[in-house]
Amino acid sequence: MINRILWPRILLAGTFLLVAGGCTRVDRLPPDPVAPMEAEEEMLAPPHVAQPAPDELLLDQATTHFEAGRLQQAANLNRQLLEMEGVPSTRRERALWSLAMIHLLPESPLHDPTRARADLTRLGNEHGESVRGQQARWLLGLLDDLDQVRGQVAEQTELLEQLTETVEQLRRIDLNRRPSSGGGPPGRPESSRPPQPPR
């Protein structure tokens, strides 16, 4: 009888002691190490992105200036890129093409057809197999044709001026040879008329 009454109480007390003892042990454990905040920030940060090369940055800036119409700044950056060592061929090609266009555009403050030809020639020689190299050679051919046409137009203009001057001189001579009073045919004095045959 006593055992029946005490047994559940003993079990309840034992369970309570076990739970309390377990809680005590848990409380006595050292705390979990706290991860530093930097580690969490690193986990949240995006993966490392490689920075563009200096020559790539220069070329991008030059392109931005060119598209905005700031041709002097674009030309300076392109020249700076071409003076650098180890610049990839494609970037050198783009810089040369940009310089050629800056020197070729009539509205450019740096308009200089001679320098444009030099840039295009260099582009064709150094990058002849690329699209821009082939375009450079084609454009040089067009410039040569244009120079030839301009030369022909200049010659024709000069010839036309000479003809106009000659016609003007002949007109003056003709006006000077005409008599002041009428009587005979223009330009022939009366005394110089041939005798008329008798009737």
Side-chain angles (χ1 to χ4, degrees):
M1 183 85 177
I2 295 174
N3 287 340
R4 286 182 184 176
I5 295 173
L6 289 178
W7 185 247
R9 291 182 180 175
I10 292 171
L11 282 176
L12 181 63
T15 303
F16 179 75
L17 288 175
L18 284 174
V19 170
C23 290
T24 303
R25 287 179 188 162
V26 169
D27 290 342
R28 289 180 185 169
L29 290 175
D32 290 335
V34 178
M37 293 298 291
E38 294 177 2
E40 291 180 10
E41 290 175 1
E42 287 178 5
M43 291 174 62
L44 296 175
H48 179 68
V49 178
Q51 293 295 323
D55 55 11
E56 185 177 355
L57 286 174
L58 277 178
L59 190 58
D60 290 343
Q61 291 173 1
T63 303
T64 301
H65 284 303
F66 184 87
E67 291 173 352
R70 298 184 293 270
L71 301 181
Q72 180 68 62
Q73 293 90 329
N76 292 341
L77 291 172
N78 282 319
R79 286 193 204 101
Q80 187 177 344
L81 183 139
L82 291 170
E83 292 171 0
M84 295 173 67
E85 297 289 335
V87 177
S89 175
T90 53
R91 292 183 190 148
R92 297 181 68 81
E93 173 191 337
R94 286 176 56 194
L96 274 171
W97 178 259
S98 178
L99 267 181
M101 294 302 102
I102 289 171
H103 292 137
L104 197 58
L105 291 172
E107 64 273 13
S108 170
L110 302 175
H111 178 69
D112 186 347
T114 303
R115 292 185 74 177
R117 283 177 178 275
D119 295 332
L120 290 170
T121 301
R122 181 177 173 189
L123 181 57
N125 291 339
E126 294 180 7
H127 309 280
E129 298 304 316
S130 70
V131 173
R132 285 191 183 94
Q134 294 172 9
Q135 289 174 342
R137 287 201 299 269
W138 174 75
L139 191 52
L140 281 170
L142 284 182
L143 291 174
D144 290 340
D145 292 344
L146 183 59
D147 284 347
Q148 186 176 358
V149 169
R150 283 177 178 161
Q152 292 173 353
V153 169
E155 288 177 4
Q156 291 176 357
T157 302
E158 184 179 355
L159 180 60
L160 182 60
E161 290 174 355
Q162 290 175 358
L163 288 173
T164 304
E165 185 178 347
T166 302
V167 169
E168 181 65 22
Q169 289 174 355
L170 290 173
R171 189 181 70 82
R172 287 181 190 152
I173 292 171
D174 188 47
L175 285 176
N176 290 335
R177 290 181 62 190
R178 290 184 182 180
S180 58
S181 61
R188 182 179 285 180
E190 191 71 25
S191 59
S192 64
R193 296 174 76 186
Q196 296 292 327
R199 293 182 181 182

